[in-house]
Amino acid sequence: MNDTLSMVLCSGTDDRLEAAAILIGGAAAIGRPVNVLLQFWALDAFRASGIDADHGLAADARSAAADVVRRRAPAGRLPWAETLRQAKELGEVRIRACSNSMELLGADRTDLDPLVDDVCGVASFLIDAGDGQIVFV
Amino acid sequence: MNDTLSMVLCSGTDDRLEAAAILIGGAAAIGRPVNVLLQFWALDAFRASGIDADHGLAADARSAAADVVRRRAPAGRLPWAETLRQAKELGEVRIRACSNSMELLGADRTDLDPLVDDVCGVASFLIDAGDGQIVFV
Amino acid sequence: MNDTLSMVLCSGTDDRLEAAAILIGGAAAIGRPVNVLLQFWALDAFRASGIDADHGLAADARSAAADVVRRRAPAGRLPWAETLRQAKELGEVRIRACSNSMELLGADRTDLDPLVDDVCGVASFLIDAGDGQIVFV
């Protein structure tokens, strides 16, 4: 059994990134390797210049629920970047930027937060995923 | 082979919940166990007080298509809650609330519709998923 | 090992369809069969009358990032339909419309672009997916 959990992150809002970070943290906690590919707005959220900024919540949040989440989150912000930093300390978590999205966003390797380990293409990511689980967020 | 279909529901709009419910109903119909984890806005949609309310459609629906869907859906509302009730009668479908999201949303077990079986953490969910499929909606 | 990559496409914006097309192209490039099911707004985007139109970007794109993507995309539009045409030439890619969504959208087989191979139900799709990977976009 290939127990690597592969995740493609595409959404760039704090709630989706938090949902992904919680899954990644849970996987790391039970000793599973995690392999993340950042695309589009998720990749954009990992720019060093803005990773700790507010990235908003998905449009599908009812405003009452969104208000509760903002009020209850520590410092009013979902702490996905910090959750990911802890997950990387805890287990084997590799975060890679999709080369295609890098080009589309005009991003350079040096623009990205140190949470990002390297850049790779989709084919490499799929080969690494092998027959393990792939989750798209 | 682990034939359980594990699904993480995060979106709270009626179209995404309907897409998930249709997959769950299809899996139940072919005899596959389904294990659902509710996070964020999906969890919020399962509050007993609002489960049969209108939860809107995703922002990515073209307005012409959204109008057609609303007009053709029975009683103008996508019947995902009813589809899930039927799927639970038909097969082995377990719906669990993510403990982390419960806390963020300030929700209590008693706030949730009876469709929700229990509350669990992400690590438990992943352990139950084992090497079966995991789908994030 | 079942190496078919099964994908459920639900989102109808150009960025999500592009993210899916890139994964599909990558899978085809490494010789993996791909089995796609179109639901809701993704299905709507495959109408022959509008497949090459602008389907917008997800609401979660920061406007600065969205502007960059639009400027850098060839002809200002993410070329997912063309990427899919190439993937179908390169490998075994089957694109199917979900019968349930066809009904909801009031769509007829003849309304769809030739990229769509046929119409099927969710249960058939899941049976074809077997124990291979399933990704929901």
Side-chain angles (χ1 to χ4, degrees):
Chain A
M1 169 189 171
N2 178 344
D3 69 343
T4 298
L5 177 63
S6 295
M7 299 186 66
V8 181
L9 272 51
C10 186
S11 291
T13 55
D14 283 332
D15 53 336
R16 295 309 171 91
L17 291 166
E18 176 80 359
I22 290 168
L23 282 172
I24 291 166
I30 60 173
R32 293 184 54 179
V34 186
N35 201 9
V36 178
L37 185 72
L38 303 176
Q39 290 188 320
F40 284 93
W41 325 120
L43 176 58
D44 188 56
F46 278 78
R47 287 182 190 266
S49 58
I51 192 167
D52 290 314
D54 188 333
H55 297 85
L57 299 176
D60 63 352
R62 283 188 317 121
S63 60
D67 288 347
V68 173
V69 165
R70 278 203 195 86
R71 207 164 50 232
R72 296 179 73 98
R77 257 264 291 137
L78 292 167
W80 56 267
E82 186 52 30
T83 305
L84 289 177
R85 284 179 201 114
Q86 291 170 8
K88 287 191 102 162
E89 278 170 32
L90 189 65
E92 195 186 323
V93 178
R94 187 182 192 187
I95 302 182
R96 318 181 75 178
C98 172
S99 51
N100 182 288
S101 288
M102 290 289 282
E103 208 172 309
L104 265 176
L105 286 163
D108 193 86
R109 179 68 193 82
T110 56
D111 297 329
L112 303 177
D113 186 87
L115 272 172
V116 183
D117 297 294
D118 57 1
V119 177
C120 80
V122 165
S124 302
F125 173 78
L126 286 173
I127 288 169
D128 288 346
D131 61 348
Q133 291 151 336
I134 302 181
V135 175
F136 187 99
V137 177
Chain B
M1 169 191 170
N2 179 344
D3 69 343
T4 298
L5 178 63
S6 295
M7 299 186 67
V8 181
L9 272 51
C10 187
S11 291
T13 55
D14 283 331
D15 52 337
R16 294 308 172 92
L17 291 167
E18 177 79 359
I22 290 168
L23 282 172
I24 292 166
I30 61 173
R32 293 185 54 180
V34 186
N35 200 11
V36 178
L37 185 72
L38 303 176
Q39 290 188 322
F40 283 92
W41 325 119
L43 176 57
D44 189 55
F46 277 79
R47 287 183 190 266
S49 59
I51 193 168
D52 290 315
D54 187 332
H55 297 87
L57 299 175
D60 64 350
R62 284 189 316 122
S63 60
D67 288 347
V68 172
V69 166
R70 278 202 194 87
R71 206 164 51 233
R72 297 179 73 99
R77 257 263 292 136
L78 292 167
W80 55 268
E82 186 52 30
T83 305
L84 289 177
R85 285 180 201 114
Q86 291 171 9
K88 286 191 104 163
E89 279 170 31
L90 189 66
E92 195 185 324
V93 177
R94 187 183 192 184
I95 301 182
R96 317 182 77 179
C98 173
S99 51
N100 182 289
S101 288
M102 290 290 282
E103 208 172 309
L104 265 176
L105 286 164
D108 192 87
R109 179 69 193 80
T110 55
D111 296 330
L112 304 177
D113 186 87
L115 272 171
V116 182
D117 296 295
D118 57 1
V119 177
C120 79
V122 165
S124 301
F125 173 78
L126 286 173
I127 289 169
D128 287 347
D131 62 348
Q133 291 150 336
I134 302 182
V135 175
F136 187 100
V137 178
Chain C
M1 169 188 169
N2 179 345
D3 69 343
T4 298
L5 177 64
S6 295
M7 299 187 65
V8 181
L9 272 51
C10 187
S11 292
T13 54
D14 283 332
D15 51 338
R16 294 308 172 92
L17 291 165
E18 177 79 359
I22 290 169
L23 283 172
I24 292 166
I30 61 172
R32 294 185 54 180
V34 186
N35 200 10
V36 178
L37 185 72
L38 303 175
Q39 291 188 321
F40 283 93
W41 325 119
L43 176 57
D44 189 55
F46 278 78
R47 288 182 190 266
S49 57
I51 193 167
D52 290 315
D54 187 332
H55 297 87
L57 299 176
D60 64 351
R62 284 189 315 122
S63 60
D67 287 348
V68 172
V69 166
R70 278 203 194 85
R71 207 164 50 233
R72 297 179 73 99
R77 257 263 291 137
L78 292 166
W80 56 267
E82 186 52 30
T83 305
L84 290 177
R85 284 179 201 114
Q86 290 170 8
K88 287 190 102 164
E89 277 170 32
L90 188 65
E92 195 186 323
V93 178
R94 186 183 192 187
I95 301 182
R96 317 181 76 178
C98 172
S99 52
N100 182 288
S101 287
M102 291 288 282
E103 208 172 307
L104 265 177
L105 286 164
D108 193 86
R109 179 69 193 83
T110 54
D111 296 330
L112 304 177
D113 186 87
L115 272 171
V116 183
D117 297 293
D118 56 2
V119 177
C120 80
V122 165
S124 302
F125 173 78
L126 286 173
I127 289 170
D128 287 346
D131 62 348
Q133 291 151 337
I134 303 182
V135 176
F136 187 100
V137 177

